[in-house]
Amino acid sequence: MDTRRRLRLQAIASAVVLIIFQLKKLRELCRHKRNEHPVTNSLVDKIPTQVAYVEELVGHNDVDCFNQLQMSKLAFQKLSYILQNVGGLQDSRYFTVQDKMAIFLSVLAHHMKNRLVKFNHKRSDSTISKYFHEALRSVIRLHPQLLVRPKPMTDVCTSDRWKCFQRCLGALDGTYIPVHVPKEDQMKYRTRKGHIATNVLGVYDMEGRFVYVLPGWEGSTADSRVLRAALVKENPFKVPYYYLCDNGYSNVEGFLTPYRGIHYHLSEWDGATNTPVNEREFFNMKHNKARNVIERIFGILKKQWAILRSSSFYSVKTQSKIVIACAILHNYIKKEMPVDPAEIESVENHTSNGVDAEYVSTMETSTQWPFKRDEMAVSMYLQWRTRS
């Protein structure tokens, strides 16, 4: 019995020794192969197809780059530099800042799904999602530099649309952005027309640049309630003078609305016989001409970024961040790609040349603000009759 047991133990010991010997031999063979074919960390050597695709995405000229990413090559390169030095976006082992931004902008511009981006870049879903959110956070960090501080209208203004509204800062409006929400929350996000959307407050200056954006409110929420919330939140919307807005808001200090029950829309003033006959009609016509330019900004924004035209499967919190990022990018593109190159202004000028005054922090009705509107309307109408 002892002899058999001893033989069994010897056989096991021999087998263990043989396994250890084979493992050592295999390790030496692997080390030898690594020395013959060293591993390189070069992005081009490791993933040439990804590099080629990003180069194609950015394009070989401004037209291709604009079609893919909504900005010129120079603007894209400058944005990547700013995000790296201000927004905190950094190169990873196999992805550069430009690669991450190309993915991010292509998703926003064309509402590309993750599975398509994954196929194009030969990366996993988790990697694409990780880089998208990295770029999103970095763009939002640029809001102090790219969301402008408005300057009030002065006497030196030559714009026929705006010069009647002295000390006006711009206009504000609300719009609906389609969102995807859980079934139990759909009733809150359902608009009057039955769409599932979030109500977004957008405030613009007279050059069509975003001053303030507040997304995330349910589609069933009234515009006036969203504005009230903006005035009292932790980082409130500040109103030193006043903005133009439609009759979805109250005519109170800081917010100038048209007269109710009076012709307002520009189509109602078509034709030589449809000229204003009193100060209220003339005020509404001038009010609409000024706001009409601003109302188109949301249309331009949705045309630039297809992700705002249909609901995505990101969470409401992420979709709200995407709306803010699109507004920031809109301002950046307007700054870097102006129609007139002489109008280029630095970000520093936008943020430093603001206004200092007491801010409107509530929406309280009073007799003074409607009286001020009446005075403005009479003055506009008399000046127009004098000139004509």
Side-chain angles (χ1 to χ4, degrees), residues 62-192:
D62 282 341
V63 174
D64 292 340
C65 190
F66 181 81
N67 289 337
Q68 297 297 324
L69 307 179
Q70 294 299 312
M71 63 183 68
S72 66
K73 291 186 68 174
L74 179 60
F76 175 75
Q77 292 165 359
K78 289 179 68 174
L79 178 62
S80 300
Y81 177 82
I82 294 171
L83 287 170
Q84 188 167 11
N85 290 275
V86 180
L89 188 62
Q90 300 299 321
D91 294 337
S92 59
R93 186 175 184 183
Y94 299 126
F95 261 76
T96 65
V97 169
Q98 289 195 356
D99 296 336
K100 295 176 182 180
M101 283 309 300
I103 291 174
F104 177 70
L105 293 176
S106 62
V107 171
L108 297 190
H110 305 286
H111 198 180
M112 295 175 64
K113 308 302 181 185
N114 263 21
R115 60 179 180 270
L116 181 58
V117 180
K118 167 189 170 182
F119 175 80
N120 291 335
H121 288 271
K122 306 298 186 292
R123 287 293 180 179
S124 65
D125 286 331
S126 59
T127 301
I128 296 298
S129 179
K130 174 185 175 182
Y131 292 150
F132 177 86
H133 284 86
E134 279 185 14
L136 178 61
R137 289 191 295 269
S138 297
V139 170
I140 291 178
R141 290 191 193 107
L142 300 183
H143 79 272
Q145 289 77 26
L146 292 178
L147 290 182
V148 302
R149 292 184 65 188
K151 293 178 285 187
M153 181 60 58
T154 61
D155 294 333
V156 297
C157 175
T158 57
S159 172
D160 186 59
R161 293 177 181 273
W162 291 99
K163 63 183 180 182
C164 294
F165 299 98
Q166 293 297 309
R167 305 185 78 80
C168 179
L169 296 167
L172 61 86
D173 203 358
T175 191
Y176 293 116
I177 302 294
V179 293
H180 181 82
V181 296
K183 190 173 182 179
E184 59 269 20
D185 294 332
Q186 288 185 0
M187 186 61 67
K188 294 187 295 183
Y189 284 88
R190 195 176 301 279
T191 67
R192 289 174 295 176

